[in-house]
Amino acid sequence: MELREIRGAVAADPTIGSPQQVRAGSWLHEPDPAVVAAGLVGQLAVELGAQGLAKGPTYLVSPGPATSAFARSYAIEDVLPFQLKALRAYLRDRDVGRLTIKKRGVAIEPEQLRKQLRPTGDNEATIAITRVSGQQTVLVLRPAP
């Protein structure tokens, strides 16, 4: 996909057919801020064969990997309901000390959450906290190569 194609496209609604569940093995795509600012998340969803998780600027989800210069992609390794105590235990069990926290559509401050989670291990992890079917959900991610 080329930038000129995105600029000339009519934005589609990425929430049409939004997934009711997100499963491990799916792929999460984080639209570039320029795509979000231009209101072209829907067009990007069409190009990636993905669906939005919510209305407005959102993460996109597809059953398989997709490549685009306009989105960063991650394999979804695990899906958890957002519960601080359970997430802390999950990270501790996996010896996670370096944690990247992404969020969209939730009232959470990543730095404050990091302090509450107190990660101390040797491993690294990326999580995204977002709404799936109206519920705050944690997606454990692995960046695409």
Side-chain angles (χ1 to χ4, degrees), residues 65-124:
T67 304
S68 172
F70 301 105
R72 171 97 188 193
S73 295
Y74 302 86
I76 300 173
E77 294 188 333
D78 217 340
V79 179
L80 313 165
F82 178 71
Q83 297 172 340
L84 186 62
K85 188 175 179 179
L87 181 55
R88 186 181 302 131
Y90 180 93
L91 296 171
R92 184 181 56 245
D93 290 348
R94 284 151 185 81
D95 197 32
V96 172
R98 293 176 312 281
L99 182 63
T100 301
I101 301 171
K102 298 180 167 292
K103 67 156 194 131
R104 189 128 330 140
V106 294
I108 291 173
E109 291 300 322
E111 289 309 313
Q112 181 180 359
L113 178 60
R114 186 182 328 283
K115 288 176 186 175
Q116 293 172 323
L117 292 172
R118 302 184 300 269
T120 59
D122 293 327
N123 294 323
E124 186 173 345

Side-chain angles (χ1 to χ4, degrees), residues 14-38:
T15 61
I16 295 173
S18 292
Q20 295 303 306
Q21 295 182 26
V22 177
R23 296 192 167 115
S26 298
W27 287 77
L28 180 99
H29 311 286
E30 180 179 31
D32 185 275
V35 172
V36 174

